[in-house]
Amino acid sequence: MEIQLSEEQLLLRDNVRRFATEVVRPRAKEIDQTGEFPREFFGQAGELGLAGVTVPEEYGGGGMDTLSYSLVIEEISRACANSGVILSVNNSLVCDPLLKFGSAEQKRDLLTPLAAGRKLGCFALTEPGAGSDAAGLRTLARREGGDYVLDGSKVFITNGTHADLALVFATVDPEKKHRGITAFVVPTDAAGFHRGQHEVKLGVNASGTTELSFAGVRVPAAQRIGEEGEGFKIAMAALDGGRIGIASQAIGIAQAALEDALAYSQQREQFGQNLSEFQAIQFYLADMATEIDAARLLTWKAAWAKDNQKRFTLEAAQAKLFASEMAQRVTNKALQIHGGYGYSREYNVERYFRDARITEIYEGTSEIQKMVIADWVLDKA
Amino acid sequence: MTLAPPCPPATGAGPDFSLNEDQLLLREQVRRFAEERIRPGVQERDRAHRFPSEIVAELGELGLLGMLVEEAYGGAGADVLTYVLAVEELARVCPATAVTMSVSNSVCCWPIGRFGGAALKRQVLPQLAAGALGAFGLTEPGSGSDVASLRTAARRDGDSWVLSGEKAWISNAGFARYYVVLARTDPAAGKRGMSAFVVPADAPGFSVGPTEEKLGLRASRTASIHFADCRVPAENLLGSPGQGFSIALATLDHSRVGIGAQCVGIHQRALELAVDYSRQRVQFGVPIARHQAIRFRLAEMATELAAARLLTHRAALAADAADAAEAGEAGATAAGAAASDGAAAGRLAAEAKLYASEAANRACQDSLQIYGGNGFHDDYEISRLYRDVRVTTIYEGSSEMQRLVIARHLLQGR
């Protein structure tokens, strides 16, 4: 066992941290408030190999391992949680399944521009009536000759307002439940493809969340990923990897909150001494640091398991559950340490607090993670 | 904005969470030994408050009492992670036996190996490695978390040191052959007036008080020890006069990893018991493992266990890095990483001990809750674990002390 980053990973982290500090952070507060999707950030990240971190270079990606991917998402999210989730969705939920389940032609034609950051992807699974119960989705894919025709709608689609390509899950036969679900890559400029307005949300308010609808959208069969009925498996595999990304996002947000709280506690004076001199504040800081370290280890272990072709469903669910709930606690404590200033928009900590909240919900709620973990503990371990 | 393109990491570099073959083998051996030799009678020993001398002798024969002692002195020369795996497996079956073992290794053998002179090490360590027990005398009736307030005194007299005072809550007292004892050698010098000594059990003026009756860990021995002009040779001083406080803190940094491991073993068992019981126990027509409230609690216990284990293993690796940095063994490429890891070792050990002990307490509480009324009955193993685990947030630095240690590191930028 060895838990030191390699020299290459350290170099990568330093490079991404510099990019995040100099380019990403300066816009973080503004886009949170305006809701403007940072489309140019995605292109810049692509040039650095961050749009498809683990995609081989022959398909336009960064050719790195999953642990490096975790470092990337953590560092970007430490500066801007919106930018973190935009990258995470393109990497984990779009590039990763195309790499794993796409044909050689699909990888060349569809994956390459996504991994290079020339095109932005989104993942369209959730529907108004199908959230945690994804197998209950109702978007229909009807075969017509060499095409499929899609009808239905999706909600809460991250990157949806600006995506060029959507990985859409639809059913060829609702009677078949999850065995009817099939995956398609759909260009967002296809006829009949509509997207709604940017949804104003509590946090991660600039991640292009919107609803998508399909009115007779015609998709060539060549853009079906995997076989008919394989879509559910593809979606679940993508979400396993996505959980490593969201755990990393939660860690990045929490790390930023801890750093701000540490700095603030050492400059703010009350009762004639710095806040950091008070035992109560020290204890908060100690618990925050401990939980961040634990979350990072769980996440790195899941990434390592994925890289070594081990099963990692359990590890990814544990990492995502722990890291997201940790981020909620840590950002809450960081806000408390800031007192009234923490509640004000003048400081960043209220943004961290709002942004952290979603990590307990998307890409599988905490409750879904617990269902996955309990299945392993009771039945599969 | 231009950046060097991120380089793809070389295959196999970076974090590796697998155990090596020696570690897997040792874990398997200790698990088998614990199941076959320790589990039978574990409840009887708990009820009778009986110290298992016969099992401790076997631990010595297996080499588990000198794991951290260098091979040159008859020990196993194991790395800290291997040691941690052994503690976990013992604690999974009997937390009392685990603490008997970890005290001897962590707070007696380790400081002697690190700070003792060559003659002392040649005399003492082979005995400890062969199975003689060790103990650690730091706490006093009036000095718990506030270590620097201790009052046991040592004065130099010719070629001897003469100790007077008493120590409280000493694990292995009465069964140990050697005690590492902290005493004040300069009353005016505060923290810098403390020194550490090795006191043999047969030293003149040394005596052991009555056995303490405890809530848990009843098969481990706890008692006070007393020094009435107790005379030890000058060579039994560890380090130099005045170095005692830093020796005590370094020892606790190291031993906290062992207590983290004890907590991980207890937590592991509490989860196993809850899983087994919830599969068997039928209420409302189904095994209670089918109820979501039970499943979610098991999921939380398993997740916190994974976190506690990783923090503990990480702290074990950092302790090795700190030892290597101290010994100047780090190779040219690893030197920087080992040094930074070593500098963080104290914080990582405190995080591991804090988190693992608090998580193990929650796990035992919740496992017992899943057992319902049966969990409150003395016949069920979980009731013993529930009592045993309670001390882990207290001894070798309470949770409150761990938080102070962690905060001090954070505020100093470590």
Side-chain angles (χ1 to χ4, degrees):
Chain A
M1 188 180 284
E2 179 50 72
I3 310 185
Q4 293 292 341
L5 297 178
S6 68
E7 287 183 29
E8 291 86 351
Q9 288 164 341
L10 287 169
L11 181 64
L12 169 74
R13 190 177 65 178
D14 288 348
N15 274 346
V16 176
R17 181 171 296 183
R18 195 148 59 86
F19 169 63
T21 303
E22 295 178 11
V23 177
V24 181
R25 190 192 299 280
R27 294 211 63 207
K29 186 192 282 276
E30 175 200 340
I31 64 172
D32 167 63
Q33 296 188 4
T34 62
E36 181 199 332
F37 187 86
R39 183 63 183 82
E40 71 294 349
F41 151 76
F42 179 73
Q44 293 166 322
E47 285 170 27
L48 295 172
L50 309 184
V53 178
T54 63
V55 173
E57 290 168 272
E58 61 172 312
Y59 296 120
M64 289 176 268
D65 58 16
T66 307
L67 206 133
S68 300
Y69 168 59
S70 173
L71 298 176
V72 168
I73 299 299
E74 178 183 336
E75 289 303 326
I76 298 292
S77 303
R78 178 171 163 269
C80 171
N82 280 300
S83 303
V85 72
I86 289 164
L87 269 197
S88 179
V89 164
N90 195 74
N91 271 277
S92 286
L93 300 188
V94 186
C95 288
D96 222 30
L98 290 182
L99 179 65
K100 190 167 176 194
F101 296 100
S103 66
E105 294 77 33
Q106 288 170 334
K107 283 191 254 195
R108 189 190 60 218
D109 298 339
L110 301 173
L111 173 58
T112 302
L114 289 161
R118 292 195 299 275
K119 288 189 173 173
L120 173 69
C122 68
F123 179 81
L125 176 67
T126 299
E127 299 185 359
S132 291
D133 183 10
L137 66 81
R138 290 161 65 178
T139 294
L140 209 60
R142 190 162 36 84
R143 182 85 191 217
E144 267 191 25
D147 295 338
Y148 287 86
V149 178
L150 270 57
D151 285 284
S153 61
K154 300 285 178 181
V155 291
F156 298 135
I157 307 306
T158 301
N159 294 353
T161 56
H162 286 71
D164 303 295
L165 292 175
L167 181 59
V168 177
F169 295 85
T171 178
V172 293
D173 182 358
E175 295 289 299
K176 288 187 178 169
K177 302 273 172 66
H178 67 270
R179 288 191 192 82
I181 295 175
T182 308
F184 303 91
V185 172
V186 184
T188 56
D189 58 3
F193 189 111
H194 300 286
R195 43 186 159 203
Q197 295 296 305
H198 155 71
E199 307 268 0
V200 176
K201 308 188 299 298
L202 173 72
V204 288
N205 192 38
S207 60
T209 306
T210 191
E211 53 181 61
L212 306 178
S213 63
F214 316 99
V217 175
R218 194 164 283 273
V219 184
Q223 284 172 220
R224 186 189 71 211
I225 307 300
E227 299 299 318
E228 279 191 10
E230 261 197 313
F232 191 75
K233 183 179 82 180
I234 293 171
M236 292 303 116
L239 288 170
D240 276 349
R243 284 163 191 163
I244 295 173
I246 299 308
S248 309
Q249 186 202 20
I251 294 164
I253 298 169
Q255 179 69 35
L258 171 62
E259 289 170 16
D260 284 12
L262 259 175
Y264 186 80
S265 72
Q266 288 172 290
Q267 73 193 34
R268 170 77 171 170
E269 277 191 26
Q270 288 291 280
F271 303 102
Q273 60 182 8
N274 286 337
L275 294 188
S276 63
E277 305 284 316
F278 290 99
Q279 212 165 48
I281 302 300
Q282 292 183 3
F283 280 27
Y284 288 165
L285 294 169
D287 285 333
M288 291 157 74
T290 300
E291 292 196 34
I292 290 172
D293 277 342
R296 196 177 276 125
L297 287 168
L298 287 167
T299 305
W300 287 6
K301 185 174 181 193
W304 168 82
K306 184 169 190 271
D307 280 332
N308 286 274
Q309 283 75 49
K310 297 173 188 296
R311 61 167 179 79
F312 69 98
T313 298
L314 171 65
E315 286 78 3
Q318 289 184 329
K320 202 271 189 184
L321 171 66
F322 189 96
S324 61
E325 304 214 328
M326 172 283 288
Q328 190 268 329
R329 288 189 292 271
V330 165
T331 54
N332 187 40
K333 280 285 176 269
L335 195 153
Q336 188 70 18
I337 290 170
H338 281 74
Y341 291 100
Y343 201 65
S344 136
R345 288 215 168 177
E346 182 186 344
Y347 285 79
N348 286 319
V349 72
E350 63 86 28
R351 171 164 58 86
Y352 306 147
F353 175 73
R354 288 185 287 104
D355 287 346
R357 190 64 183 81
I358 188 59
T359 63
E360 296 175 279
I361 298 172
Y362 61 19
E363 304 205 21
T365 60
S366 288
E367 292 70 27
I368 289 292
Q369 308 309 325
K370 288 180 195 177
M371 287 168 68
V372 170
I373 296 163
D375 285 350
W376 279 91
V377 169
L378 281 160
D379 306 323
K380 299 182 189 168
Chain B
M1 173 88 205
T2 54
L3 286 171
C7 333
T11 320
D16 173 5
F17 288 85
S18 60
L19 299 174
N20 65 34
E21 281 187 24
D22 289 349
Q23 290 161 342
L24 289 169
L25 187 65
L26 175 113
R27 187 173 69 173
E28 189 51 41
Q29 283 172 342
V30 178
R31 178 172 298 181
R32 204 166 51 235
F33 175 77
E35 286 294 345
E36 291 173 6
R37 298 289 303 131
I38 302 181
R39 181 162 318 277
V42 66
Q43 185 184 50
E44 172 272 322
R45 295 192 299 273
D46 175 66
R47 285 178 176 168
H49 296 236
R50 189 173 73 73
F51 184 87
S53 295
E54 70 287 358
I55 289 171
V56 172
E58 290 185 57
L59 291 176
E61 286 163 23
L62 287 172
L64 295 177
L65 294 179
M67 290 191 75
L68 301 173
V69 174
E70 286 175 56
E71 286 172 284
Y73 296 107
D79 56 37
V80 180
L81 179 57
T82 305
Y83 163 66
V84 151
L85 297 172
V87 176
E88 268 182 49
E89 292 302 327
L90 294 176
R92 186 180 151 272
V93 172
C94 178
T97 304
V99 77
T100 300
M101 175 270 203
S102 86
V103 160
S104 201
N105 276 287
S106 281
V107 288
C108 188
C109 290
W110 187 81
I112 295 172
R114 166 62 83 82
F115 300 103
L120 180 69
K121 290 203 279 191
R122 273 198 305 276
Q123 184 209 336
V124 170
L125 288 178
Q127 298 177 52
L128 290 166
L133 269 184
F136 184 58
L138 175 63
T139 301
E140 299 183 358
S143 167
S145 294
D146 183 8
V147 169
S149 68
L150 66 80
R151 292 167 65 178
T152 293
R155 65 182 159 80
R156 185 70 187 244
D157 183 28
D159 280 345
S160 306
W161 289 93
V162 179
L163 279 68
S164 54
E166 67 174 305
K167 297 286 177 179
W169 307 118
I170 306 307
S171 297
N172 296 352
F175 290 97
R177 191 180 296 172
Y178 292 102
Y179 297 78
V180 170
V181 175
L182 275 291
R184 186 163 295 290
T185 44
D186 181 351
K191 286 176 185 173
R192 291 193 173 73
M194 293 160 56
S195 305
F197 302 90
V198 174
V199 179
D202 59 4
F206 175 85
S207 63
V208 176
T211 302
E212 305 288 356
E213 300 223 336
K214 309 189 294 292
L215 173 70
L217 297 183
R218 291 173 174 173
S220 77
R221 178 57 57 92
T222 309
S224 56
I225 55 177
H226 303 261
F227 310 93
D229 287 334
C230 172
R231 189 169 288 268
V232 300
E235 68 188 31
N236 284 27
L237 174 75
L238 294 180
S240 49
Q243 204 189 337
F245 187 74
S246 72
I247 290 174
L249 292 196
T251 301
L252 289 172
D253 276 352
H254 211 272
S255 71
R256 279 166 191 158
V257 187
I259 300 304
Q262 186 199 23
C263 296
V264 170
I266 296 171
H267 193 149
Q268 172 74 43
R269 185 64 180 165
L271 174 62
E272 289 170 12
L273 290 170
V275 165
D276 287 348
Y277 188 80
S278 63
R279 281 179 178 145
Q280 297 163 17
R281 173 75 174 173
V282 173
Q283 287 291 279
F284 303 103
V286 292
I288 61 172
R290 299 270 294 277
H291 297 302
Q292 201 165 50
I294 304 295
R295 298 181 80 82
F296 277 25
R297 201 49 206 120
L298 293 174
E300 288 158 8
M301 284 166 71
T303 301
E304 295 194 7
L305 173 61
R309 182 172 276 137
L310 284 167
L311 283 171
T312 303
H313 292 184
R314 171 90 175 87
L317 294 173
D320 275 326
D323 285 351
E326 188 77 17
E329 286 168 1
T333 53
S340 72
D341 224 30
R347 175 174 64 85
L348 294 171
E351 289 185 359
K353 200 269 182 183
L354 169 64
Y355 187 81
S357 63
E358 302 265 334
N361 271 271
R362 285 192 291 274
C364 289
Q365 156 93 14
D366 290 349
S367 182
L368 194 151
Q369 184 72 19
I370 287 171
Y371 270 82
N374 282 337
F376 201 60
H377 196 288
D378 197 42
D379 279 351
Y380 283 82
E381 187 178 350
I382 189 61
S383 73
R384 174 172 53 85
L385 294 182
Y386 180 77
R387 288 185 285 104
D388 286 348
V389 77
R390 187 59 189 84
V391 76
T392 61
T393 59
I394 300 170
Y395 66 13
E396 307 210 18
S398 63
S399 288
E400 291 70 25
M401 293 308 295
Q402 307 310 320
R403 291 188 175 100
L404 288 178
V405 168
I406 297 163
R408 192 180 315 129
H409 276 87
L410 289 173
L411 292 165
Q412 291 169 359
R414 282 182 284 165

